[in-house]
Each structure stands twice: as C-alpha cells, then as structure tokens.
Amino acid sequence: MTSRRDFIRTLTGAAALAGFGGIPLDVLARHELIKLTVLHTNDVHSRIDPFPENDPKYPGMAGVERRASLIRSIRAREKNVLLLDAGDIFQGTPYFNMYGGELELKLMTDMGYDASTIGNHEFDNGIDGLVKQLPNARFPLLNCNYNLADSALNDKVLPYKVFENGGITTGIFGVGIELAGLVDPHLYGNIRYEDPLEKAKHMAHFLRNEKKCDLVICLSHLGYKYNSNKISDEVLAQKTSNIDLIVGGHTHTFLDKPVSFRNAANTETLVAQVGWAGIRLGRVDYYFDIRTRRKMATGTTVKINSKTIAI
Amino acid sequence: MKYFIFLAVLFTCACTEHRVLSRHETNEYVFSDSTNHGTDSLTASEIRPYREKLKAGMSIVLCESTAPFEKGRPESALGNFVSDACLLTGNQAYTSSGNTPADFAFFNTGGLRRSLPEGQVTKGDVFELMPFENQLVVLTMNGKLVKKLFNFIASNGGDPVAGVRFEIHDQRARAITIHGVPLDTNAVYKAMTSDYLANGGDRYSFLSEASKRDTVKLKVRDALIQYMYIQGKVGDKISPVLDGRIKNDQ
C-alpha cells in the first residue's frame, strides 16, 4: 500500500502549510473548535463515466458515481461541508453533445454542490444553451466580473452567496476569465468582461467587513498562472486581501495541496486546483476557534481511480 | 477485493517556540471494485438511461491504432494525425465543390482534448478528442500573413500543422517550407483550419486579415471520424508519426 505512504507524505506537506497566519495552536486548542470541510472540483468537463481502461493518460480514473460515493462518505463523518466547483462543468464527452449539460447539473445537484462559477466552456452552446440548462442546477453559479445586464443570464447568476455552517459564516464569490479571444463572440453575446482583480478586491472586502464572514472563498476560472502578466490566481492571491481560499480552474493544474501565498495584507491566501475531469477531489479542512474566530487549515487531494481511491 | 484509504487530518505545528501541539483524526474510507460499493447506486441509476442512449452510437469501433497518440509541442503524434487527417478529408469535401485544395492546415494544441488509445478507437473516443462542433474553413492569405501565422505558432512552442515544415528559432519560425517549397511571401496560399480559430479564438485575432474565407461543409470531428472509418474499412491501422515537421532549432 504505497498509496498510504504517499498519503502520509502529502499530509506532512499539508501540515507544513502551517503559515496559517502564525496562529499558536495551543491557543486554539484551549477553546472549542469548529471544523468546516471544503471539498472542491474544477474543469470536470462532462466526465460522467470514468476514462476508459485503455486511456493512455488516465486509465479507469475519475467518474461521478465514485465521486458521489466519496462525498457521501465524507459527509457521513463531517458535520459541516461545503462542496464547490470552479467552472467548466460543460463540454468534453458525448454526454454534453447529446444532452447539453443536463445530466452534469443534475448530478451536481444530487451530490449537493453548494456553488459553482462560470467557466468559458459554459458558453459552448451559447448563452441560451446555458440558460436552458440552469433549472437543472439547484445551486447558484457565482460571478461578479461579467456584466450580464444586457444578456439572458441577467438575474440568473449571483455575484456572491453567504453560507452558514455550524456557526461559521462563509462568503463565496466567483470570477471569470476574459472571454474575448477565447470564446467565439457570437456565443457570449453582450456579456461585458470587467476587471476581476478590482471586482475581487471589492467583493472580498464587502464579505469580510459588511457580511462579517469568518471565511471568504473565491471561485476562480482565471487559471493558476501564466508566463505573461495575464491575471491569474497567483496574481489575485497576492494583490488582494481578505480572500482566505481561491478554488481555481481553467489551466487544469494538478496541485497536490493548496499553495500558500502572502496576500496584500501580509496574511495567508491559499490557492487550490485539482487538475480536471474529476480525477481528484480537493479537500481543505478549516478549524475555527469559536471565541477568537481565528482559524487554521489543512489541505489535501483525493485521487479517484477505477479500483482504488488513493492519495 | 477491497481497497482501503486512510484520510487523516493531521496537525503538527510548532507555531510557538517551545510548545508543540499535535492532533490526529483518522478516517477510513473503504472502496471496492466498481461493481460493488465503490460507486453510488442512486447516482448510477440516474446516469443509466442517459448512458444507454449514448452507448449505441458511441461504442462503434472506427479503426485500430498501433500505439497511443498524445499531444505535445513542438510537434506531436496526436497533432500530426489530426491535422493530416483534416487536410486530407477536408480537401476531399472542399475540392468536390470545384475549389482548388488548401495548401496546408493548422489547429491549436488546446483544442485536442484527449489522447487516442492503443487498440480499438471508438466514435466516443473521437468525440472526447474533439468535442467541439467546430467547422472546417479555408482561409486565403498572402505569404506575409502565412509567415505571421507560423511566427505565432512558433511563439506558442509549436501547434498541430500539416503540409508545412519549419524550425523554431528564438520563438520565430524559419526555414519554412510548404509541401517542400520554401515559403514565398509574395505568393497566395490557402490554409485549412477551424472556424473557432478563424473567428479569432485562442488569440488568433490576426486571422481576420485573411482575404477570403470559405466554409467546408464538414465539422473537424466528422473529418476525423470519416478518415478513421475509411482506415478501418480498408483494414489499415493508424500509427503515431513524428516526422520533425516542427523542430526546435537549438
């Protein structure tokens, strides 16, 4: 069971994330701790069935049935769970060509997803194609930097949502990638892209200070990082304050555990991303001191395979 | 057969100088083969009717391959295969309506969405390689625009091309030949690509400088399916080919 050994190594690495704003844990331990488990996926791309066994890269991996089972197991053990996705739910297997995203959204609803954001491939059947499928999602799509006022998505997408789990208030908002030069213009119509950095700064400040959130999470489809100066999660993490966790997507980046950045307020912002296709489920556990509201986090990922689920 | 996984949450932190607190919570997740408890039965029953309807069409075997095809730069077996097959099959459709054929083809690496397996290749595999509904188009462009195009591809580190060879030097294309003839910047060429790129997708906005655009009444995916179907019919296996059409000049 080398997987178990690998797992311990991963965890040790995760514990080494212990920047954690320099909170003395013995202080935390004296008070009651509330645990909140954040589970996340990104760029699942209609991967409902596992990859075929003859796939050169990911033989037998992924699959919604196994992910649903894993999430059910985690829910049985954890009282407070948030299940999030960072976009590109659509496109990649014939399920999308044939059913237009209906099954993807139904299954995410069944698994109890709390929120997702809009990835560029959500527009692959045009705005109308997305609007048509939205009734199948009983969870919100969050985005604060697409101006949807002149599109059929107006009032169908929320900029943010606040969740209460066991006394912990979590504010979640979403940011999306620039569509020009990426998505065929006739597919995204009158959606106007606005600066995600400025919008994120504003939104995070609002959620922390106005909505008094203990935890602020950004669902981002900007991409993890680029060689150019294009806005990315790496830039967003360092140039904003008040974001605790960025659940990212778009670049299909496999991060074994969340990456820790010093943000503009010199506190910690974590960036997580779990590749694509539902090959892995990301997990970040937050522990809150109920009295001081201070927190710490550990993060890891779970690989979803045909025969084993290994770390 | 059962498989075990231990999901532990582990605190080890020496946050203050002299005191260390550690705490372990260990959870055990048990999964077995997909036929048993490793899958969620409610989810399975929700998927089943959708899957059954798909299966009939998607499990059709088009042809066989001798080895896996994967994508990469500067050239790749998958990129070479897709662009060669599209240039050939696309030109058959394009010339049947009286046009002169396209000279070369180019596509984007990001548009190749899955590797092709060794052995039987199904219609479903091709849908996953090329899930988009993109149409083939032929752009007429002068030699200067062709040079700009290959410089752009060189700056990407190489992308799928057919009918052309060049070297990448300092992120620019040099020693460009089209069907073995050096590029003439005063000549006019025809290039086959997808409508997605022709519309400016993946930062190809400069393709609007093309002097003419013809639509080939064939989707990129259907061109691949047709090509593989014919290979299968005549009993030829497809094989990955790297022929140095794009080389890094070091």
Side-chain angles (χ1 to χ4, degrees):
Chain A
M1 299 219 70
T2 54
S3 61
R4 193 179 165 198
R5 204 179 324 126
D6 290 347
F7 172 67
I8 297 302
R9 199 181 307 128
T10 306
L11 266 189
T12 311
L17 260 178
F20 304 130
I23 303 168
L25 283 176
D26 53 335
V27 173
L28 277 178
R30 273 193 234 121
H31 304 287
E32 191 185 338
L33 294 176
I34 301 174
K35 183 178 179 187
L36 175 65
T37 298
V38 179
L39 303 177
H40 61 93
T41 52
N42 57 276
D43 300 276
V44 177
H45 282 297
S46 305
R47 181 60 51 191
I48 286 164
D49 293 328
F51 284 94
E53 291 295 343
N54 66 355
D55 187 82
K57 267 185 151 166
Y58 308 109
M61 292 186 190
V64 170
E65 291 173 26
R66 294 182 191 112
R67 178 152 41 103
S69 176
L70 174 62
I71 290 166
R72 197 180 290 275
S73 307
I74 294 170
R75 286 191 196 278
R77 288 166 174 81
E78 304 297 344
K79 201 168 138 205
N80 304 311
V81 175
L82 279 171
L83 177 57
L84 306 174
D85 181 81
D88 276 6
I89 297 164
F90 287 176
Q91 189 72 282
T93 71
Y95 282 100
F96 181 74
N97 304 87
M98 196 146 177
Y99 309 113
E102 173 186 324
L103 184 58
E104 289 84 330
L105 296 177
K106 279 184 176 172
L107 292 171
M108 288 175 76
T109 299
D110 292 348
M111 284 183 274
Y113 271 80
D114 293 290
S116 183
T117 188
I118 307 175
N120 47 300
H121 286 291
E122 262 65 80
F123 297 111
D124 280 7
N125 282 345
I127 291 175
D128 293 343
L130 176 56
V131 168
K132 187 182 161 197
Q133 297 302 336
L134 280 183
N136 294 311
R138 288 199 295 279
F139 56 89
L141 294 186
L142 306 178
N143 177 285
C144 69
N145 72 312
Y146 291 158
N147 185 328
L148 305 170
D150 299 328
S151 86
L153 278 171
N154 195 24
D155 298 330
K156 293 188 165 61
V157 173
L158 303 176
Y160 70 91
K161 189 173 173 183
V162 175
F163 295 83
E164 297 285 340
N165 303 77
I168 297 300
T169 307
T170 305
I172 305 181
F173 69 99
V175 288
I177 193 165
E178 183 161 22
L179 299 172
L182 183 64
V183 178
D184 211 319
H186 76 268
L187 294 177
Y188 66 89
N190 292 325
I191 293 176
R192 291 194 301 279
Y193 169 83
E194 293 171 352
D195 181 5
L197 180 59
E198 289 310 310
K199 288 284 175 183
K201 280 180 183 170
H202 172 80
M203 195 53 72
H205 182 270
F206 167 78
L207 290 171
R208 179 79 77 204
N209 297 298
E210 308 277 322
K211 294 289 178 182
K212 307 290 180 203
C213 292
D214 300 298
L215 186 67
V216 175
I217 299 176
C218 173
L219 301 180
S220 160
H221 203 77
L222 298 177
Y224 180 60
K225 68 171 175 184
Y226 300 101
N227 293 328
S228 63
N229 55 6
K230 187 176 160 94
I231 180 76
S232 65
D233 294 342
E234 194 181 59
V235 176
L236 194 66
Q238 294 173 86
K239 292 197 169 174
T240 57
S241 40
N242 291 312
I243 301 176
D244 296 299
L245 172 65
I246 297 172
V247 172
H250 187 65
T251 43
H252 297 193
T253 308
F254 284 98
L255 299 175
D256 288 335
K257 58 180 192 291
V259 177
S260 173
F261 290 92
R262 284 280 134 191
N263 61 34
N266 201 31
T267 58
E268 180 176 63
T269 296
L270 297 179
V271 179
Q273 192 179 150
V274 285
W276 68 293
I279 290 164
R280 296 187 188 187
L281 178 70
R283 175 174 180 157
V284 186
D285 290 297
Y286 279 92
Y287 296 82
F288 294 84
D289 182 318
I290 198 165
R291 194 179 61 85
T292 64
R293 314 305 283 185
R294 286 195 290 189
K295 60 184 172 290
M296 69 159 285
T298 59
T300 186
T301 63
V302 184
K303 286 177 193 165
I304 300 178
N305 203 328
S306 66
K307 292 191 175 137
T308 57
I309 292 187
I311 297 292
Chain B
M1 186 168 178
K2 289 202 166 176
Y3 300 87
F4 295 88
I5 167 180
F6 298 87
L7 245 199
V9 174
L10 172 88
F11 279 6
T12 52
C13 182
C15 295
T16 54
E17 278 187 12
H18 305 293
R19 285 181 286 193
V20 174
L21 177 136
S22 65
R23 170 184 160 145
H24 300 259
E25 289 178 14
T26 303
N27 295 329
E28 184 182 291
Y29 293 93
V30 181
F31 289 88
S32 38
D33 284 313
S34 55
T35 47
N36 295 318
H37 312 294
T39 58
D40 187 275
S41 59
L42 285 176
T43 313
S45 59
E46 171 127 37
I47 297 172
R48 197 169 299 118
Y50 291 85
R51 183 188 290 135
E52 292 306 315
K53 220 172 126 189
L54 276 188
K55 243 186 181 170
M58 292 301 158
S59 55
I60 294 168
V61 176
L62 297 172
C63 66
E64 295 208 14
S65 68
T66 59
F69 289 66
E70 299 202 44
K71 71 173 178 181
R73 300 179 194 274
E75 66 165 338
S76 69
L78 189 60
N80 292 352
F81 173 75
V82 165
S83 23
D84 286 344
C86 283
L87 184 60
L88 184 79
T89 314
N91 265 339
Q92 284 165 359
Y94 184 58
T95 55
S96 69
S97 45
N99 296 296
T100 56
D103 301 294
F104 64 93
F106 67 97
F107 297 94
N108 60 328
T109 303
L112 307 178
R113 306 298 284 190
R114 223 195 94 197
S115 313
L116 283 181
E118 179 179 347
Q120 296 187 330
V121 182
T122 65
K123 194 172 165 186
D125 291 326
V126 185
F127 264 76
E128 294 182 10
L129 162 63
M130 187 56 64
F132 312 112
E133 306 301 329
N134 297 339
Q135 299 273 341
L136 287 172
V137 298
V138 174
L139 300 176
T140 302
M141 47 176 87
N142 62 39
K144 290 184 187 70
L145 186 56
V146 171
K147 189 156 190 202
K148 189 172 180 177
L149 167 67
F150 294 139
N151 278 336
F152 181 74
I153 290 175
S155 74
N156 288 341
D159 279 311
V161 296
V164 57
R165 299 178 70 88
F166 62 84
E167 294 174 0
I168 301 175
H169 181 78
D170 279 346
Q171 301 203 347
R172 292 177 67 81
R174 72 175 190 192
I176 303 166
T177 58
I178 294 171
H179 292 297
V181 181
L183 173 71
D184 175 359
T185 50
N186 295 315
V188 172
Y189 295 90
K190 281 174 135 184
M192 186 166 298
T193 188
S194 70
D195 58 350
Y196 170 70
L197 297 185
N199 290 345
D202 214 359
R203 300 174 294 128
Y204 273 92
S205 54
F206 61 89
L207 291 180
S208 62
E209 295 167 35
S211 58
K212 189 163 176 275
R213 169 174 167 162
D214 299 323
T215 299
V216 182
K217 289 189 179 59
L218 191 62
K219 287 180 183 173
V220 177
R221 181 177 58 235
D222 290 339
L224 297 174
I225 289 172
Q226 279 185 22
Y227 179 82
M228 287 189 228
Y229 177 78
I230 290 166
Q231 295 299 107
K233 276 282 166 205
V234 301
D236 282 349
K237 291 185 177 181
I238 58 170
S239 293
V241 172
L242 292 175
D243 54 16
R245 61 187 73 183
I246 303 180
K247 276 195 276 200
N248 283 314
D249 174 51
Q250 292 302 344

